[in-house]
Amino acid sequence: MTMCDAPVIVACLKLVELRASVDPLSGSVIPDPKSAGIGPADEAALEWALRMAGAWDGSVAVTSAGGEACEHVLRMAVATGANRALRIDVDPAASSEFVAGALAGAVRELAGNQPFVVCCGDASVDRGSASVPGFLAASLEAAQALGLVGVSVIAGAAAASLEVHRRLDRGRREQLRIEAPCVISVEGGTARLRRASLPNALAEREVVLIRSYRSGYH
């Protein structure tokens, strides 16, 4: 694969409350910003993005929709090896379809004319609908492979290609081959996110995030 064919891999990360408490009287969730982060599925998506970039000599961009609160998640991703980060300012309560439209605009901006692979977590720990990756693929008019339990990166092919395994009903599995441009979503158990190196952890303090205030992507 030549440098001009090297894809841009975009990891879409969702900020969630990892250890929110519940009011015993009202039953309402008490948010704790200090405990906010990304869940296991999004960590796996970021790790796969980094592995793909290594195999294909590509670059990794990360994006998150939700505003300023997402910045520490994006900086963490840069510390683990991502090359660029883009923050999208949208209402966290926006519909999955609207969020997917905003993310699609960010993917187009980050990828430019390059082929792309978008990596998402299959479901968030806040009991999200898991529908954003499907809406995102439709908005980008890209191939999709969702709810993956296994991913193999194919190096040396003419195009950026993956061999993936999907979980089906009754314990069955489906094996697919998918090429860029595409959107995948992975389960948390498929990969463990690497630790940030010390130089990267120090450098992320100086990183300049690309900010997008165009929340009208849809």
Side-chain angles (χ1 to χ4, degrees), residues 40-174:
D42 280 15
E43 287 187 350
L46 177 55
E47 176 59 28
W48 280 116
L50 295 170
R51 293 184 191 183
M52 291 173 202
W56 297 330
D57 198 20
S59 63
V60 175
V62 290
T63 185
S64 186
E68 250 182 80
C70 300
E71 287 207 1
H72 80 277
V73 165
L74 296 174
R75 291 182 183 278
M76 174 278 295
V78 171
T80 58
N83 305 101
R84 291 178 291 163
L86 188 151
R87 190 190 89 202
I88 308 169
D89 289 353
V90 299
D91 184 345
S95 69
S96 294
E97 187 174 5
F98 184 85
V99 171
L103 291 171
V107 171
R108 294 188 186 100
E109 181 175 335
L110 291 165
N113 295 322
Q114 298 291 98
F116 61 82
V117 176
V118 181
C119 300
C120 306
D122 71 325
S124 57
V125 296
D126 60 353
R127 298 183 180 181
S129 66
S131 59
V132 168
F135 281 123
L136 179 55
S139 186
L140 291 169
E141 298 183 341
Q144 59 178 291
L146 310 181
L148 303 182
V149 296
V151 180
S152 295
V153 182
I154 302 173
S161 304
L162 300 168
E163 187 175 280
V164 300
H165 295 261
R166 293 181 62 225
R167 187 193 303 278
L168 301 179
D169 294 338
R170 300 178 182 176
R172 295 175 296 171
R173 297 287 188 271
E174 180 180 41

